[in-house]
Amino acid sequence: MEYNSFFETALERLRDERRYRVFADLERIAGRYPHAVWHSPKGERNIVMWCSNDYLGMGQHPKVVGAMVETATRVGTGAGGTRNIAGNNHSLIQLEHELADLHGKEAALVFTSGYVSNQTGIATIAKLIPNCLILSDALNHNSMIEGIRQSGIEYKVFRHNDAAHLEELLKANPNRPTLIVCESLYSMDGDVAPLEKFCDLAEKYGAMTYVDEVHAVGMYGPRGGGIAERDGVMHRVDILEGTLAKAFGCLGGYIAGSAKMVDAVRSYAPGFIFTTALPPAICSAATAAIKHLKSSRWERERHQDRAARVKAILTAAGLPVIASDTHIVPVFVGDPERCKQACDILLEEFNIYIQPINYPTVPKGTERLRITPSPYHDDGLIDALADALVQVWDRLGLPLQAKAAAAE
Ligand code: PLP
C-alpha cells in the first residue's frame, strides 16, 4: 500500500482548487507590534502584520508578559496533567473568577482553546438537556458546528442573523427545550448579531441562549465584556463563550454562566476532562490582560479609531471594502488565485503581511483580504497599506471603485 499517495492526492486536490495554504514563517518583536520579522526563503525581512487576531496587541503588553514570566518563574511551566489527575492550579481558579466577574455570571470554566470550549461545551450542554433542539445561525464557526454534530442532537439552522426566521423555528417547535447558538460578531464579514432580539425571543419561547463572543471580548462593552455587554443584554444571555487567544493575547477558551451549568460541563465534558489544563503562566497572563482591559478604555477606543481610519482611507482609494460596523476590515477579491497572488505581492514587494481568506473559511467567490487594524497601526502604516493595495489591485487587474463615488 502506498499510503503517502492518498495524502498526495488529497493535497493535489487543494492545489487544483487553488486553496492549498502556505503560512509565512514569522517572528513578532515584543514592544514593536505590529512590526515582525519574516524568515523568508531569502533571509530575514522586517514586515508589518495586518491580519493578526491579537487585536489589541495585548500579547506584548508589559503587564501580560510580566505576569507570564513571573508565574512561570515561581511555579514552573506545565499544569502537570488534567484537572482530574493533577487538581486545579491556583492561577486557573483566579482566571475563572476574573472571567465570571467580567461577564457578571456565577461561574466560568476554562478550556485549552476557544475551539474546544465550543466543541465540547455545546455538545455537553445539549446532551444534558432532555429532548433538546438546537437552533444554530447559518454562519456559525466550525467549532460550534462540530459541537452540534458531536452532541448528536436534532438541530435546525436559521438564516444568518435573521430573528424572524429564528422565531419561525421556535414557533414550529413549541414546548421543547431549545438551545439557540450564535456568535455575537462574525469575524469574516465583521457584522453583529441582533442579540437583544434573540434574547427577547429566547424569553418569549423559553429557550436558552449560547453566544460565542470570541471576536468581541476585550474589545466591546465598557469593561471588555463583549457585544452583549455593549448592548446591555449580557445578563440575559445564558451562556457566554470566549477566547483568551485574541484580544487577551494568550491562549485558551471559556464558557461563563450559571454555577450549576458550569459544574455540569466540568463534570461531563470530555474535552475538559481528558486533556491537560492550561499552564499556570498562561492563566496569569490572561488574567492580567482581562484585568487591564476591564479598566483601561484606551485600547478599545484607539482600536475603533484605527479601524475607522483604515476603512475610510481604503474606501477613498477606491478599494472594495466590505461595509462593517466593527473592527474587521474585509476587502473583496472574489477569486482564490488572485487573492493569494495579492498577498504574495504584498509580502514580497511591500513587506506587508495579510493572509488570504479563501474557501472553506468563506464561501467560494467571496475570497478576500481580511485586515485587522490594531491600536498600534499608525497613520503612516495605514497610508502605506492603501498605496500598496492600490498598486496590487492595478497589477492584478482587480476592479477599483470610482474614487468620487467611494468618498461619498
Ligand atoms: N469561535 C469563533 C467564532 C472563532 O472564529 C474561533 C477561532 O478563530 C474560535 C471560536 C476558536 O477560538 P480559539 O482560537 O481560541 O480556539
Side-chain angles (χ1 to χ4, degrees):
M1 250 336 155
E2 269 300 318
Y3 286 102
N4 269 331
S5 69
F6 302 134
F7 305 128
E8 186 46 38
T9 309
L11 291 169
E12 270 314 308
R13 218 165 36 237
L14 292 181
R15 287 195 191 96
D16 288 349
E17 291 173 18
R18 303 286 178 260
R19 55 189 188 91
Y20 176 74
R21 293 175 185 214
V22 180
F23 306 135
D25 178 356
L26 302 171
E27 192 169 359
R28 304 202 304 159
I29 310 163
R32 291 205 53 219
Y33 191 67
H35 296 274
V37 173
W38 173 35
H39 293 269
S40 83
K42 295 179 197 146
E44 289 185 8
R45 292 243 308 258
N46 289 330
I47 54 108
V48 176
M49 303 191 70
W50 273 104
C51 58
S52 171
N53 279 349
D54 184 357
Y55 290 123
L56 301 179
M58 291 305 286
Q60 304 188 359
H61 193 286
K63 283 187 191 170
V64 180
V65 176
M68 186 176 282
V69 171
E70 189 279 325
T71 303
T73 309
R74 194 164 41 82
V75 306
T77 53
T82 69
R83 298 211 222 177
N84 274 1
I85 299 288
N88 287 323
N89 69 67
H90 186 57
S91 304
L92 201 36
I93 298 298
Q94 288 174 316
L95 172 59
E96 287 174 343
H97 284 150
E98 199 64 46
L99 287 165
D101 173 76
L102 174 68
H103 292 297
K105 298 293 177 198
E106 286 173 358
L109 189 69
V110 167
F111 302 83
T112 45
S113 73
Y115 193 99
V116 172
S117 321
N118 276 335
Q119 188 184 29
T120 204
I122 293 172
T124 304
I125 292 163
K127 273 203 259 190
L128 290 174
I129 302 172
N131 190 31
C132 184
L133 171 70
I134 300 175
L135 299 181
S136 171
D137 187 284
L139 292 190
N140 275 344
H141 188 254
N142 174 271
S143 54
M144 306 167 86
I145 296 168
E146 286 301 323
I148 293 167
R149 282 198 189 128
Q150 193 180 310
S151 76
I153 299 290
E154 187 190 354
Y155 69 92
K156 293 189 192 308
V157 175
F158 58 92
R159 286 188 294 273
H160 177 55
N161 280 350
D162 188 336
H165 191 209
L166 174 61
E167 181 157 25
E168 258 176 52
L169 297 177
L170 285 162
K171 253 193 206 151
N173 294 277
N175 305 320
R176 181 157 177 201
T178 304
L179 185 64
I180 300 170
V181 179
C182 69
E183 298 178 33
S184 65
L185 193 165
Y186 288 82
S187 73
M188 290 301 143
D189 293 323
D191 58 333
V192 169
L195 289 185
E196 191 176 356
K197 284 190 191 151
F198 287 0
C199 288
D200 289 346
L201 289 175
E203 283 160 19
K204 184 169 168 191
Y205 292 93
M208 200 173 182
T209 43
Y210 179 108
V211 178
D212 173 316
E213 289 256 36
V214 158
H215 294 279
V217 285
M219 291 170 279
Y220 294 88
R223 296 202 312 156
I227 296 286
E229 186 192 25
R230 183 196 74 177
D231 292 356
V233 295
M234 196 161 67
H235 60 291
R236 298 173 68 197
V237 175
D238 296 296
I239 303 157
L240 287 154
E241 184 272 343
T243 185
L244 307 169
K246 302 190 193 297
F248 298 133
C250 295
L251 180 73
Y254 63 91
I255 55 169
S258 75
K260 290 250 183 304
M261 181 279 296
V262 163
D263 199 19
V265 174
R266 183 186 71 84
S267 309
Y268 281 94
F272 174 82
I273 296 172
F274 296 106
T275 188
T276 296
L278 276 190
I282 291 183
C283 300
S284 295
T287 303
I290 298 163
K291 265 200 173 112
H292 176 81
L293 290 173
K294 274 180 184 169
S295 57
S296 171
R297 291 176 177 223
W298 180 84
E299 288 82 0
R300 277 190 284 284
E301 284 167 8
R302 172 88 179 159
H303 187 217
Q304 292 299 319
D305 171 77
R306 297 292 83 192
R309 187 169 179 92
V310 171
K311 286 179 201 171
I313 300 275
L314 299 194
T315 305
L319 290 154
V321 175
I322 302 173
S324 84
D325 298 328
T326 60
H327 60 280
I328 310 277
V329 186
V331 179
F332 185 82
V333 178
D335 173 68
E337 187 102 4
R338 286 190 291 175
C339 196
K340 170 85 173 69
Q341 278 173 345
C343 295
D344 288 346
I345 300 172
L346 285 169
L347 184 59
E348 279 155 25
E349 297 181 28
F350 296 93
N351 298 322
I352 287 173
Y353 179 60
I354 302 174
Q355 186 76 13
I357 304 289
N358 287 349
Y359 177 81
T361 310
V362 293
K364 285 182 183 165
T366 72
E367 292 80 6
R368 65 196 65 183
L369 307 188
R370 175 181 178 270
I371 297 170
T372 52
S374 77
Y376 303 100
H377 286 87
D378 63 24
D379 289 358
L381 293 180
I382 297 173
D383 291 344
L385 172 70
D387 285 349
L389 285 172
V390 168
Q391 289 186 53
V392 169
W393 248 243
D394 188 45
R395 179 102 62 90
L396 296 178
L398 287 164
L400 283 171
Q401 282 146 13
K403 289 191 188 180
E408 275 164 15

